[in-house]
Amino acid sequence: MPRLHLQRRRWPLALLFVHTHAAAQVPAKPTAEPVSNAARALHEQLLTLDTHLDTPANLAVLGWNIGDRHDASRDGSQVDLPRLVQGGLDGGFWAIYTPQGPRTPAGDRAARDSALTRALAIREMVAANPKSFELALRADDATAIAARHKRVVFLSIENAYPLEADLSLLETFYKLGVRLTGLAHFSNNDLADSATDPKGPEWQGLSEKGRSFVAEANRLGIVLDASHASDQVLDQLIALSKTPVLLSHSGVKAVFNHPRNIDDQRLRALAASGGVIQINFLSDYLIATPKIPEREAALSALFQGSRKPGLTLVQREALIARKHEIDRTWPVPRATFEDAIAHLLHAIQVAGIDHVGIGADLDGGGGVSGFEDSRDYPRITARLLRAGYSRDDIQKVWSGNVLRVLRAAEAYAAGLAAQSTVVTSGAPTASH
Ligand SMILES: [Zn+2]
């Protein structure tokens, strides 16, 4: 059955997927209640992290500045500093996303260069706004940075294709700040199978190189992210990784059967191994949406016209206007806030409150009716309160769980490093 959804592509310009209020789509009844003062106050007190912010892609748009307030209905962007502050989000994992390209020496080099450039762009964002953002390199940094009223910037890799030709680059990315890495994206690569490759599995999970990648991530203290990878990859990561695995932005099959979502048995296995699932707010993964060939063709044509590098904000706004036209001409149902909450509450019920968090995929296609941009994060806190969860429970969902996983990765790497120091200092050495 999941085959139905395998053809879905992700345009490198993530914004093309953003459904905005201005679009006259199938009207959804308002599902998000106003946030009470008490819920808002609690939300502000908690350390809130989203593990999948695709915002770094916007840093490359000429004239778009993270410090300015933007309007999703105009330029498609959902996260910027003013809206982060308004939504009380302390920060999260800022993704170095690389679309899967040709698995050739030239393709690998282009992907490597693109990912390095993206990592530097995130660091430049921090360097240019030192009063507003701070790089987080350890789990404990997050609380300290939030206490300084700055936004927490962990770096993550979405698709390790840029590293497939040279695994030693993982240490380079670690030094640039990366603390979380996925393996594949929409298609299989040299490391692992994707959940959505129309050709089906190539490696039956991880390749030999993928296994080396896992060992290297463990050695460095980088958390492994199984979102977008096949179910077999998740199983093998749970078995192979020395530290718990994260799904940085995923949903649950019990609510909507899609290859990007995971089944209850795997949810339990993930939890039993100490891992965590962070719930995605991307409509196509939350509810069934019909594929209208004309709509898909129009989106594809729109995307073809937007491929050129050096896109300006004005050009981007024109693309979004065209996207609204497409939405009006061929409307498709859009998931609601309650649809996303159904995934969240089911995951908590099956995996337990210690194994669930938030990875809404804003600026990467995320956003549902009633949860349009980063101003809407308090709605999640309010909804969990209404569902009867305590302050401690909600804190776990917002950051406690993911930081526990990161601390485990740090501890394992530190243990290995200490061991090798003992071995080195204990052995007779010729040099020094
Ligand atoms: Zn993604």
Side-chain angles (χ1 to χ4, degrees):
M1 276 333 250
R3 287 272 152 179
L4 246 179
H5 304 282
L6 290 184
Q7 298 304 325
R8 182 179 174 275
R9 296 176 50 195
R10 172 185 183 140
W11 323 114
L13 251 194
L15 63 97
L16 296 184
F17 272 131
V18 173
H19 301 270
T20 54
H21 353 210
Q25 297 188 315
V26 176
K29 45 184 184 315
T31 52
E33 296 170 7
V35 175
S36 70
N37 289 342
R40 162 75 59 175
L42 171 62
H43 185 77
E44 291 296 336
Q45 287 162 19
L46 301 175
L47 176 65
T48 50
L49 301 175
D50 181 308
T51 50
H52 196 73
L53 297 168
D54 259 318
T55 311
N58 294 338
L59 300 174
V61 176
L62 300 172
W64 192 94
N65 191 317
I66 190 79
D68 298 340
R69 177 182 294 276
H70 303 84
D71 175 352
S73 66
R74 270 179 71 92
D75 72 7
S77 76
Q78 296 166 299
V79 176
D80 51 40
L81 183 60
R83 287 181 293 173
L84 279 175
V85 172
Q86 203 176 334
L89 190 80
D90 290 313
F93 288 75
W94 299 64
I96 301 164
Y97 162 64
T98 312
Q100 185 62 50
R103 290 155 61 185
T104 59
D108 288 338
R109 275 196 301 276
R112 174 200 66 192
D113 294 350
S114 154
L116 286 167
T117 304
R118 186 59 50 80
L120 294 173
I122 300 170
R123 293 183 64 105
E124 280 169 17
M125 173 188 86
V126 175
N129 301 279
K131 292 194 172 112
S132 307
F133 294 98
E134 194 171 329
L135 208 58
L137 300 174
R138 298 182 57 82
D140 288 346
D141 291 346
T143 312
I145 293 169
R148 290 192 280 273
H149 304 291
K150 298 188 203 182
R151 305 296 128 179
V152 178
V153 182
F154 284 109
L155 268 63
S156 63
I157 288 175
E158 181 173 34
N159 195 6
Y161 163 51
L163 295 90
E164 68 180 11
D166 177 7
L167 296 190
S168 78
L169 281 174
L170 193 56
E171 187 159 2
T172 306
F173 279 100
Y174 176 86
K175 287 175 178 164
L176 285 169
V178 168
R179 296 296 180 268
L180 171 67
T181 184
L183 288 108
H185 192 246
F186 279 171
S187 316
N188 305 332
N189 61 23
D190 286 1
L191 304 172
D193 290 333
S194 162
T196 50
D197 193 316
K199 296 188 301 294
E202 178 176 338
W203 308 105
Q204 315 309 319
L206 293 164
S207 69
E208 202 48 49
K209 196 182 260 189
R211 290 170 185 273
S212 303
F213 182 85
V214 171
E216 181 64 355
N218 285 161
R219 183 186 74 80
L220 292 164
I222 298 177
V223 174
L224 288 149
D225 177 1
S227 282
H228 284 291
S230 73
D231 287 345
Q232 282 172 301
V233 172
L234 173 61
D235 296 343
Q236 292 166 18
L237 285 177
I238 290 173
L240 198 64
S241 175
K242 303 290 187 192
T243 71
V245 171
L246 195 75
L247 290 151
S248 70
H249 59 303
S250 289
V252 295
K253 276 195 169 79
V255 177
F256 176 46
N257 186 11
H258 187 286
R260 274 286 279 109
N261 298 336
I262 70 166
D263 58 69
D264 285 358
Q265 203 183 329
R266 287 191 168 85
L267 262 183
R268 290 189 195 99
L270 177 76
S273 67
V276 176
I277 181 173
Q278 307 279 118
I279 299 298
N280 206 327
F281 280 54
L282 194 152
S283 186
D284 285 1
Y285 300 152
L286 300 172
I287 59 165
T289 35
K291 295 290 166 243
I292 305 169
E294 293 91 339
R295 175 186 165 90
E296 299 297 308
L299 286 173
S300 177
L302 174 63
F303 166 65
Q304 291 305 328
S306 70
R307 252 179 201 276
K308 52 184 180 301
L311 192 79
T312 66
L313 185 53
V314 172
Q315 289 169 324
R316 180 176 171 148
E317 287 175 355
L319 289 172
I320 292 300
R322 171 65 187 138
K323 171 67 169 47
H324 292 330
E325 255 178 62
I326 294 172
D327 285 337
R328 281 192 295 269
T329 312
W330 299 285
V332 291
R334 185 182 183 215
T336 64
F337 180 68
E338 277 305 312
D339 291 324
I341 292 298
H343 284 256
L344 177 64
L345 295 180
H346 182 84
I348 295 174
Q349 196 176 42
V350 174
I353 196 73
D354 292 308
H355 302 281
V356 183
I358 305 295
D361 208 356
L362 292 186
D363 289 328
V368 293
S369 181
F371 187 91
E372 305 290 351
D373 62 36
S374 53
R375 292 173 299 179
D376 291 325
Y377 283 110
R379 291 179 190 266
I380 299 176
T381 301
R383 186 63 182 80
L384 286 173
L385 269 181
R386 185 155 76 75
Y389 290 100
S390 69
R391 177 203 169 95
D392 284 357
D393 290 341
I394 301 172
Q395 180 61 91
K396 287 174 180 179
V397 170
W398 269 123
S399 61
N401 295 334
V402 62
L403 292 179
R404 181 190 72 237
V405 169
L406 180 54
R407 280 193 189 97
E410 289 169 1
Y412 178 78
L416 273 191
Q419 246 176 35
S420 70
T421 311
V422 171
V423 170
T424 311
S425 57
T429 46
S431 58
H432 305 297

